[in-house]
Amino acid sequence: MIISLDTLSLVQKQHWLQHAIAPRPIAFASTIDASGNVNLSPFSFFNLFSYNPPIVIFSPSRRGRDASTKHTLQNVLEVPEVVINICDFDMVQQMSLASCEFPKGTDEFIKAGFTRQDASLIKPPMVKEAKVKLECRVNEIKSLGETGGAGQLVIAEVLCMHVDERILNDEGTMIDQTRLHHVARLGGDWYCKVTSDNLFKVPKPNTQLGIGVDALPGSILNSHILTGNDLGQLANVHEMPVIDPAYEDEVLKNIIQYYSISPEEMEKEIHRHAKNLLGKNKVQEAWQVLLAC
């Protein structure tokens, strides 16, 4: 299916893009205008774009119905400062409530039941309940257009972070990813929650290059059992493995013994066993199994 965006209505464009480009982290932005009125609103067009200098960007896009700008954008044009409070599962319902389009001058801290906390370097207050807060200075605002749905990029430099010690690792030196249950936006009313149950690690090549999928033996590359993810894991080693005579594997022994009269079936079973090992991130073991073919 090919979708030409220029043939779609504004609502349809929003639907297709926001359902496809997800999950998106949420910038729960607190701002203040020149008169001292505070605004608190979430934006899922948000991410980290540089860490030296530390730059984040979020976009309070123009409203689709009339192309009007949002109070957050109006505020940062008057007072170029913002606190980005990172949303987690413990505050997602209140955060959603704060997204209501209350009249200008309404205090969403009160409406959504959040507690104001003074920032240390800037004027807008922080959300006390947020476990991570970023105090930011707005460096630039770049408009992408004046029509409904047009992004208004707020490019902000992070001046300091406030981090709840309860989400740090045991050494107290870094955020423990399993203790901060991030919430992210998908399409429509859908969100997702990051927990230890759905976290996984993917080793990434740093100083040593992976051999690449194109270097895999044909029997592995053309396997009907191993997936693209499996091939990616196998190809991330920095040199082609060789058979380790000391490697022992009872499952492999049984496969070879049982399927010795049928090399084709034996290869399939070996690939299934290797796939199971890869699922447990046992890449070296999977290679030893595959080298037995």
Side-chain angles (χ1 to χ4, degrees):
M1 183 177 186
I2 299 175
I3 301 167
S4 298
L5 295 187
D6 58 359
T7 66
L8 303 180
S9 69
L10 189 61
V11 172
Q12 289 173 322
K13 288 180 184 178
Q14 181 183 28
H15 173 94
W16 283 103
L17 290 169
Q18 291 186 348
H19 282 70
I21 303 172
R24 301 183 303 280
I26 300 167
F28 199 21
S30 49
T31 57
I32 193 168
D33 67 15
S35 300
N37 298 307
V38 170
N39 184 264
L40 180 63
S41 187
F43 300 94
S44 70
F45 290 180
F46 162 63
N47 222 309
L48 171 68
F49 287 85
S50 169
Y51 56 86
N52 188 29
I55 299 295
V56 294
I57 302 176
F58 71 99
S59 177
S61 302
R62 289 180 178 271
R63 294 183 179 90
R65 62 178 180 273
D66 59 8
S68 60
T69 58
K70 297 180 180 177
H71 300 147
T72 297
L73 180 64
Q74 296 165 19
N75 285 1
V76 295
L77 285 168
E78 293 182 18
V79 179
E81 298 174 342
V82 58
V83 177
I84 294 180
N85 306 278
I86 300 299
C87 183
D88 69 354
F89 187 72
D90 291 341
M91 55 193 289
V92 64
Q93 297 293 344
Q94 289 172 275
M95 177 277 299
S96 179
L97 178 58
S99 70
C100 293
E101 292 193 8
F102 297 110
K104 186 171 176 58
T106 301
D107 189 335
E108 287 87 1
F109 276 86
I110 295 175
K111 284 292 186 183
F114 286 115
T115 308
R116 286 196 194 191
Q117 183 180 19
D118 289 341
S120 59
L121 300 174
I122 62 176
K123 294 177 182 177
M126 304 184 296
V127 174
K128 183 177 181 180
E129 289 80 4
K131 297 179 182 67
V132 177
K133 303 109 166 168
L134 313 177
E135 293 190 41
C136 304
R137 176 181 60 239
V138 176
N139 289 352
E140 181 183 354
I141 298 173
K142 181 175 178 57
S143 174
L144 300 182
E146 297 182 359
T147 58
Q152 310 298 308
L153 305 186
V154 178
I155 303 171
E157 182 174 351
V158 181
L159 304 177
C160 73
M161 297 176 64
H162 300 253
V163 181
D164 191 323
E165 293 181 2
R166 292 174 298 173
I167 65 170
L168 298 179
N169 59 17
D170 292 338
E171 295 74 29
T173 56
M174 295 184 66
I175 292 173
D176 182 337
Q177 197 67 78
T178 67
R179 297 178 183 178
L180 177 57
H181 298 155
H182 281 103
V183 168
R185 286 287 277 121
L186 297 104
D189 292 337
W190 289 99
Y191 287 74
C192 64
K193 172 187 176 183
V194 176
T195 68
S196 56
D197 293 335
N198 57 36
L199 286 172
F200 60 95
K201 292 184 178 181
V202 177
K204 58 182 179 181
N206 288 317
T207 58
Q208 295 177 317
L209 298 177
I211 62 172
V213 170
D214 58 328
L216 296 175
S219 61
I220 296 175
L221 184 60
N222 299 314
S223 172
H224 295 296
I225 307 297
L226 300 172
T227 66
N229 271 338
D230 298 328
L231 299 182
Q233 282 180 277
L234 292 167
N236 202 21
V237 296
H238 70 276
E239 61 182 8
M240 182 68 72
V242 296
I243 294 176
D244 179 2
Y247 179 73
E248 294 186 2
D249 186 317
E250 278 302 315
V251 175
L252 177 61
K253 287 181 180 178
N254 291 336
I255 290 172
I256 293 174
Q257 182 177 1
Y258 187 81
Y259 290 98
S260 59
I261 60 174
S262 177
E264 185 176 335
E265 289 301 314
M266 181 172 68
E267 181 178 86
K268 288 181 181 178
E269 290 303 315
I270 286 176
H271 284 200
R272 289 190 180 98
H273 182 33
K275 181 177 180 64
N276 182 54
L277 291 170
L278 290 169
K280 300 174 182 177
N281 286 319
K282 296 182 177 181
V283 178
Q284 296 302 324
E285 291 88 339
W287 263 114
Q288 290 303 311
V289 168
L290 290 168
L291 290 171
C293 288

